[in-house]
Amino acid sequence: MKIAGIIPARYASTRLPGKPLKDILGRPMIWWVYKRVREVEQLDEIYVATDDGRIRAVCEQYGIPVIMTSPDHPNGAMRLQEVSETVAADFYVQLNGDEPLMNTVAIAAAIPGEVPQDVEFGTNIITQIDDPAQVMDPSNIKMVFDDEMNALYMSRTPIPYPFKSIDFQYYKHVGIIGYNKKMLDFYKNSQPGRFERIEGIDTLRFLDYGKRLKLTLVPDCHSLSVDTQKDLDMVIKMMKEQNGDGE
């Protein structure tokens, strides 16, 4: 089974333009992301998928495999679908290009032992929420699932609602998602579903149309995405503490 890791990377970030190329200890952030992802043995091939020549040039400078994609993609899933037209694989794992401290255990956990190829299939990592403030934060996508860890619904609001009991655990979506080719093709060829339009959650499209999204729980998997200069400063501080020599 061939597994491809794809790192979508955009230059035109609203809050932090050019963030894949932001300097961290003497190297661009995309280099650190790629270096981190390479630690996952289950990934047979890894590519950066970008629509910007500046990012491509830096990837080529550092020997990072890179694929140019259309600038019109609204999200990572669409960019992965385009990559899947030229990179054949049994499974594609979407890896955030703005997480230089990405959890490699979670990446490995997103890759199932077997991937069905005759039906649309995807995976998603979830982790528990221990802080009540995170439960209320609409940027944390809360997940509910059945006894076999198949996703039932996801929402920005706290679900399930604590009406008859408060003795339960909340879980949130972690942005490491895997797809087979059929799932990516379905996404490209479908329109946003009812609940996707209401919640503004791209991944809800799969549940809107009854597609299978298998969840895996990774305890204490709390990522740090670089969305602002403040986030970048925090990551640099953390990485200096871990490896102050820049290696």
Side-chain angles (χ1 to χ4, degrees):
M1 185 168 68
K2 180 180 175 181
I3 311 297
I6 311 299
I7 307 169
R10 290 191 315 119
Y11 191 92
S13 169
T14 302
R15 288 182 285 178
L16 192 64
K19 66 179 178 179
L21 305 185
K22 292 296 183 182
D23 183 86
I24 299 177
L25 303 181
R27 289 185 174 86
M29 180 162 61
I30 196 66
W31 182 88
W32 289 101
V33 173
Y34 178 73
K35 178 177 180 289
R36 189 85 165 183
V37 170
R38 283 187 60 190
E39 298 174 12
V40 182
E41 296 180 355
Q42 292 92 331
L43 295 175
D44 298 299
E45 296 179 2
I46 303 166
Y47 299 91
V48 169
T50 187
D51 58 6
D52 192 276
R54 290 163 290 189
I55 295 175
R56 177 182 63 182
V58 168
C59 287
E60 291 174 346
Q61 175 186 346
Y62 284 97
I64 300 171
V66 59
I67 295 175
M68 292 297 292
T69 57
S70 167
D72 300 326
H73 295 316
N75 51 47
M78 289 294 286
R79 205 172 297 280
L80 259 69
Q81 195 284 328
E82 182 178 348
V83 171
S84 75
E85 294 296 317
T86 55
V87 175
D90 298 292
F91 202 61
Y92 302 84
V93 184
Q94 180 177 326
L95 306 161
N96 293 331
D98 58 2
E99 292 189 27
L101 295 174
M102 198 180 314
N103 188 318
T104 55
V105 172
I107 298 172
I111 303 170
E114 296 182 0
V115 177
Q117 298 298 322
D118 56 337
V119 295
E120 295 90 350
F121 175 78
T123 65
N124 199 342
I125 299 300
I126 62 172
T127 196
Q128 76 280 6
I129 303 177
D130 298 320
D131 181 357
Q134 287 198 23
V135 174
M136 302 305 297
D137 186 346
S139 66
N140 288 322
I141 309 303
K142 274 66 71 173
M143 307 287 297
V144 292
F145 44 90
D146 64 19
D147 290 341
E148 295 182 351
M149 298 296 289
N150 295 304
L152 297 175
Y153 193 68
M154 59 186 74
S155 179
R156 297 185 184 278
T157 196
I159 54 172
Y161 184 81
F163 182 64
K164 287 192 172 183
S165 173
I166 60 171
D167 185 23
F168 62 86
Q169 178 72 59
Y170 283 104
Y171 298 91
K172 69 176 181 179
H173 153 99
V174 176
I176 298 174
I177 312 171
Y179 316 85
N180 67 2
K181 173 68 170 159
K182 277 187 173 290
M183 192 73 127
L184 288 170
D185 290 345
F186 155 76
Y187 193 90
K188 176 188 176 182
N189 297 319
S190 62
Q191 295 297 316
R194 174 187 176 191
F195 294 113
E196 178 187 356
R197 293 195 301 269
I198 294 171
E199 296 260 14
I201 303 172
D202 299 335
T203 318
L204 253 178
R205 185 176 311 185
F206 303 121
L207 305 185
D208 273 331
Y209 288 89
K211 306 306 178 183
R212 187 183 179 200
L213 194 62
K214 188 78 171 179
L215 307 180
T216 299
L217 173 62
V218 177
D220 300 315
C221 182
H222 303 291
S223 61
L224 178 57
S225 299
V226 175
D227 295 318
T228 65
Q229 183 62 46
K230 183 179 178 181
D231 296 334
L232 181 61
D233 293 341
M234 176 61 70
V235 165
I236 291 173
K237 179 181 177 182
M238 293 171 66
M239 294 182 76
K240 280 182 177 178
E241 294 172 353
Q242 293 179 9
N243 46 8
D245 59 356
E247 295 294 337

